[in-house]
Amino acid sequence: MLFEAFAAGGCRSYILGCEASRAAVLIDPELSLADHYRGHLLQNALTLRYIVDTHTHADHFSASRQLGATLGVPVVMHRQAAAPYADLRLDDGDMLIAGALKLTAMHTPGHTGDSMCLVMADRVFTGDTLLIGGTGRTDLPSGDPHALYESLFQKLLRLPGDTRVYPAHDYKDREHSTIADEIAANPRLQKTERAEFVAMMRDLDLAAPTHLTEALRTNMSGGKTVAQLLAEAAARVPFMAMEELDARLGANSGGDLVVLDLREKEAFAAGHISGARHLPRGQLELRVNSELPDPTVRIVTCCEFGKISTLAAATLRELGYLRATALDGGIAAWRTAGYSLEAEAPAVPRPSSS
């Protein structure tokens, strides 16, 4: 068997390949490593047969949907997974075959309701059910400490002791463990009584994952991350350098260039590029026809950090303003570079009539 492990932060993913048939399986792919997986498959002349997510991840972005669509490979999850893009849904005991590779699904709810492990002859891919020296948490959506206890002590830990354990996470660069090692040394597995184990899991008081909402939203629905939206928008619009805009402002007496400031009123009033028009991003689509009656005009969008302006420039191009560009870096970079900003004079209070 050909075997390769990949790491991104604490996330672990795996490609298994049949040496004879060159068929391969990808387990728990992470979005930032999508190109690495493709490169490994090409370099080793492997044909991907299945992409498997062991559960709905809440702490990173799965690459399953993107890779499945790009490569034309079925995405595999447990039948309880909410993701609508899963092509093949497994029950407990179902087996995947790729050449000489045989992986059997073991439903192990607890970390999530759709958690499963993939069991082979000499190893098991445990997702977040069992980690090296730990277990998956049970305080996230669909988590259940009672279910995790049963999954561990009544199913997973009954595998042969020399079975290698390959989890979906490890933060100490450990490649694998074994079932016997975990039974002997994993602190959480020393609580062998259900009540003690459940109480321990409920008292962990762990911090929420950094990208919890976004990861669950995208992994459960197949939606896009904010980074993906920004990358797609950036690929559809050109940018204007600060020095280019500064030079053009001095020669803009004919009004052939519109600088569109998308920030809120207070930020615009505190300091904006000379001659910029103010149109908050939230009102762009509603006011664009009246504010920008000439669709042929050249537009430079700007915001504080250059992200909202990139999205807005892409929107303007979709609306037919084909000369829309975005300021590279935004107002923060403009300010740091020493270019001038104009501030609005504070409103003079009206004298009291009394």
Side-chain angles (χ1 to χ4, degrees):
M1 180 180 68
L2 302 172
F3 180 77
E4 188 73 21
F6 299 81
C11 299
R12 308 285 291 183
S13 49
Y14 308 92
I15 290 181
L16 294 70
C18 171
E19 196 163 3
S21 68
R22 315 310 289 183
V25 179
L26 172 57
I27 301 173
D28 286 329
E30 206 274 342
L31 187 59
S32 68
L33 295 178
D35 289 336
H36 294 264
Y37 304 131
R38 285 191 285 257
H40 180 80
L41 293 167
L42 287 171
Q43 184 178 9
N44 291 276
L46 293 171
T47 300
L48 195 60
R49 298 300 186 197
Y50 299 107
I51 301 170
V52 186
D53 267 328
T54 56
H55 63 288
T56 301
H57 300 281
D59 51 1
H60 70 271
F61 305 114
S62 170
S64 291
R65 178 175 176 269
Q66 174 184 313
L67 289 173
T70 302
L71 302 177
V73 177
V75 175
V76 182
M77 298 186 75
H78 186 263
R79 66 176 181 83
Q80 292 187 13
Y85 54 86
D87 304 294
L88 180 59
R89 298 176 182 272
L90 303 183
D91 268 302
D92 187 58
D94 285 346
M95 184 168 62
L96 298 175
I97 298 178
L101 304 177
K102 295 184 178 181
L103 300 91
T104 301
M106 176 188 287
H107 187 208
T108 52
H111 174 61
T112 63
D114 65 343
S115 288
M116 66 177 180
C117 299
L118 297 174
V119 184
M120 298 184 69
D122 66 340
R123 65 194 66 195
V124 57
F125 299 91
T126 57
D128 282 10
T129 299
L130 176 62
L131 308 177
I132 300 175
T135 66
R137 60 197 297 167
T138 59
D139 59 335
L140 300 179
S142 80
D144 183 342
H146 287 280
L148 183 61
Y149 176 85
E150 294 175 2
S151 294
L152 289 168
F153 290 97
Q154 297 180 20
K155 299 183 76 172
L156 189 56
L157 298 181
R158 294 185 178 183
L159 292 173
D162 60 354
T163 304
R164 293 185 178 187
V165 173
Y166 291 92
H169 290 281
D170 189 76
Y171 299 92
K172 297 182 180 180
D173 295 325
R174 295 167 292 192
E175 293 185 358
H176 68 273
S177 178
T178 66
I179 292 292
D181 289 341
E182 293 309 307
I183 291 174
N186 190 318
R188 293 189 189 177
L189 300 185
Q190 307 316 303
K191 304 290 186 181
T192 58
E193 295 297 325
R194 177 191 291 266
E196 289 183 329
F197 181 85
V198 170
M200 172 189 66
M201 296 304 297
R202 287 178 171 167
D203 290 341
L204 289 179
D205 193 26
L206 301 173
T210 304
H211 303 290
L212 172 63
T213 300
E214 188 176 18
L216 284 175
R217 171 179 61 77
T218 56
N219 293 337
M220 291 178 68
S221 68
K224 296 178 180 179
T225 67
V226 173
Q228 285 176 305
L229 287 176
L230 284 168
E232 291 174 4
R236 299 197 305 270
V237 301
F239 294 83
M240 185 173 288
M242 292 183 290
E243 56 269 26
E244 179 72 14
L245 176 57
D246 185 58
R248 287 181 177 275
L249 287 176
N252 195 34
S253 58
D256 58 340
L257 178 67
V258 174
V259 179
L260 200 63
D261 194 315
L262 302 153
R263 298 173 299 161
E264 295 302 315
K265 182 178 180 180
E266 293 77 11
F268 178 81
H272 55 267
I273 295 173
S274 177
R277 296 188 194 179
H278 181 225
L279 179 55
R281 176 62 186 90
Q283 300 177 28
L284 179 64
E285 289 84 352
L286 300 178
R287 292 172 49 190
V288 66
N289 293 326
S290 58
E291 294 290 334
L292 300 169
D294 180 3
T296 68
V297 71
R298 191 171 188 183
I299 302 166
V300 180
T301 60
C302 60
C303 65
E304 191 66 20
F305 299 109
K307 295 182 178 180
I308 293 174
S309 57
T310 301
L311 294 170
T315 297
L316 286 169
R317 287 196 164 232
E318 289 179 4
L319 292 172
Y321 294 88
L322 302 183
R323 299 181 70 196
T325 64
L327 177 63
D328 182 29
I331 298 297
W334 180 275
R335 184 186 301 112
T336 300
Y339 292 106
S340 63
L341 293 170
E342 292 184 353
E344 291 186 354
V348 179
R350 295 181 180 180
S352 173
S353 59
S354 59

